[in-house]
């Protein structure tokens, strides 16, 4: 009896060891605070993968640019320093204009349009990221972008000379076109830049205004609904291919669910953020007609510029977008 029991025990111990060996750990660097809706969605995604794989794939979300800075996350995933990561696509427009398609003012300015643009952009993004040894898992848009500014404005001329926070090549370009002074600052450093007066205006969603406590220094937000930039969750292809098939399937399924959930939450939270900012004392402004007309002109210039740079791939995205 006794020897038989110890054989069983030994076998059980062996199984435990095997299970432990079969566990894969992935790091997921992200650039936004843990309480941001994108990050909460990532956390849910990680927990869904954990459950679906019985703990075989453990994904640790590192929020707030704690593991890699916003602009470094893409390269980290490409090089395998992180197996998976969340990036703001428009940050990489200088590398390839396709990444900037969802940062062009008024090309896609509502959730419905943004969804169409995402679908039009996807095949080209798959190709680009694929060529860099990565895969696109899912995208989720930020709420529509508006203008944070300290005084009431009637047109873009009223923003001339302002110290303007940019988060992307396109938001720096807007500053250039309206005669503001751009300083590129990612979300993780925004609160401090506002508090120290390094910047006094910027364009972003209600979400980032809320996260960064912009209401402490800026009182107006113009709801221009100019564009909806997307976060993308990308994975290193070798890391993905190293997973067994059921685990790969679990990742893809959880990603598809995260995408659907994320789009819905973004839209719901858009209204919530506006209310929350108003409660903190901000004035949520409907942009005057002249301001909108001026910004649309900026958008027209930027789209023409972008199309020139983006070539055939860019044209494919615009054609697919216009067809739907
Ligand atoms: N928030 C991010 C990008 C777009 C947005 O709404 C930011 O301001 O950095």
């Amino acid at each position: 009896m006794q020897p038989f029991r110890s054989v069983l025990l030994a076998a059980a111990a062996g199984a435990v060891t095997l299970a432990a060996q079969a566990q894969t750990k992935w790091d997921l660097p992200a650039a936004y605070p843990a309480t941001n809706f994108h990050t909460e969605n990532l956390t849910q995604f990680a927990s869904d993968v954990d459950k679906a794989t019985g703990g075989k794939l453990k994904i640790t979300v590192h929020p707030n640019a704690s593991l890699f800075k916003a602009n470094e996350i893409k390269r980290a995933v490409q090089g395998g320093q992180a197996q998976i990561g969340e990036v703001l696509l428009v940050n990489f427009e200088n590398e390839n204009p396709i990444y900037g398609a969802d940062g062009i003012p008024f090309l896609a300015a509502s959730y419905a349009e943004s969804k169409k643009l995402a679908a039009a952009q996807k095949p080209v993004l798959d190709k680009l990221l694929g060529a860099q040894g990565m895969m696109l898992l899912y995208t989720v848009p930020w709420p529509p972008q508006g203008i944070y500014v300290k005084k009431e404005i009637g047109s873009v001329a009223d923003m001339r000379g302002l110290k303007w926070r940019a988060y992307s090549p396109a938001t720096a370009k807007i500053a250039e076109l309206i005669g503001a002074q751009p300083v590129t600052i990612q979300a993780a450093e925004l609160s401090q830049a506002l508090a120290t007066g390094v910047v006094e205006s910027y364009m972003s969603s209600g979400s980032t205004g809320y996260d960064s406590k912009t209401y402490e220094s800026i009182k107006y937000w113009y709801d221009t609904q100019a564009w909806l930039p997307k976060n993308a969750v990308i994975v290193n292809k070798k890391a993905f291919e190293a997973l067994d098939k059921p685990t790969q399937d679990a990742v893809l399924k959880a990603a598809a669910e995260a995408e659907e959930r994320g789009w819905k939450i973004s839209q719901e939270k858009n209204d919530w953020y506006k209310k929350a900012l108003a409660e903190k004392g901000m004035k949520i402004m409907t942009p005057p007609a002249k301001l909108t007309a001026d910004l649309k002109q900026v958008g027209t210039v930027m789209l023409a510029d972008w199309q020139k740079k983006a070539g055939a791939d860019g044209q494919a995205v615009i054609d697919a977008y216009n067809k739907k």
Side-chain angles (χ1 to χ4, degrees), residues 16-292:
V16 167
T17 312
L18 271 182
Q21 277 169 355
Q23 186 181 79
T24 303
K25 289 187 174 172
W26 280 5
D27 285 311
L28 193 166
Y32 305 98
T35 53
N36 180 272
F37 76 95
H38 283 291
T39 319
E40 286 176 349
N41 198 32
L42 286 174
T43 307
Q44 177 73 50
F45 163 74
S47 139
D48 289 350
V49 169
D50 187 350
K51 265 187 228 131
T53 63
K56 254 170 113 182
L57 177 57
K58 293 267 180 205
I59 301 176
T60 305
V61 178
H62 301 269
N64 221 17
S66 55
L67 195 59
F68 292 99
K69 291 199 168 132
N71 279 324
E72 296 169 348
I73 293 173
K74 181 167 171 286
R75 195 181 294 274
V77 175
Q78 186 174 1
Q81 289 90 356
Q83 296 77 13
I84 183 169
E86 185 189 51
V87 298
L88 177 64
L89 288 169
V90 295
N91 273 353
F92 304 95
E93 179 171 2
N94 285 345
E95 185 189 310
N96 190 305
I98 295 304
Y99 293 122
D102 50 336
I104 303 164
F106 300 106
L107 176 61
S110 65
Y111 278 93
E113 288 177 354
S114 172
K115 194 136 217 183
K116 281 188 210 163
L117 182 59
Q121 216 179 352
K122 187 174 172 355
V124 188
L125 284 177
D126 284 341
K127 188 179 80 174
L128 270 183
L129 290 166
Q132 296 183 321
M134 292 179 281
M135 280 166 52
L136 179 63
L137 282 183
Y138 68 89
T139 61
V140 172
W142 287 91
Q145 308 287 290
I147 304 172
Y148 290 96
V149 64
K150 290 196 174 184
K151 52 172 197 205
E152 281 192 51
I153 50 174
S155 67
V156 298
D158 293 337
M159 293 189 277
R160 215 164 275 154
L162 292 183
K163 288 183 275 180
W164 173 273
R165 177 255 174 172
Y167 62 73
S168 62
T171 49
K173 180 74 186 174
I174 292 173
E176 209 182 284
L177 290 170
I178 68 174
Q181 301 173 45
V183 192
T184 299
I185 293 161
Q186 292 307 324
E189 278 92 43
L190 180 55
S191 299
Q192 200 182 344
L194 287 165
T196 55
V198 171
V199 293
E200 56 190 349
S201 64
Y202 67 100
M203 282 186 87
S204 187
S205 57
S207 177
T208 291
Y210 182 80
D211 288 348
S212 61
K213 296 192 163 66
T214 293
Y215 46 79
E216 289 181 353
S217 57
I218 294 181
K219 289 295 164 220
Y220 296 93
W221 187 68
Y222 284 81
D223 191 6
T224 54
Q225 303 178 19
W227 72 92
L228 292 81
K230 292 185 296 294
N231 277 0
V233 177
I234 55 176
V235 64
N236 180 287
K237 219 195 280 178
K238 280 201 188 114
F240 184 81
E241 281 164 2
L243 303 172
D244 60 28
K245 182 73 170 60
T247 306
Q248 289 181 350
D249 290 346
V251 170
L252 296 178
K253 179 164 179 282
E257 287 166 4
E259 179 158 77
E260 209 180 308
R261 188 172 58 232
W263 280 77
K264 201 163 153 266
I265 296 171
S266 176
Q267 196 157 4
E268 284 167 8
K269 280 224 126 178
N270 182 30
D271 296 326
W272 184 89
Y273 283 125
K274 283 192 245 181
K275 263 184 233 135
L277 289 175
E279 272 165 28
K280 297 285 187 186
M282 283 200 84
K283 292 207 166 75
I284 307 302
M285 311 290 280
T286 302
K290 174 81 169 95
L291 178 62
T292 304

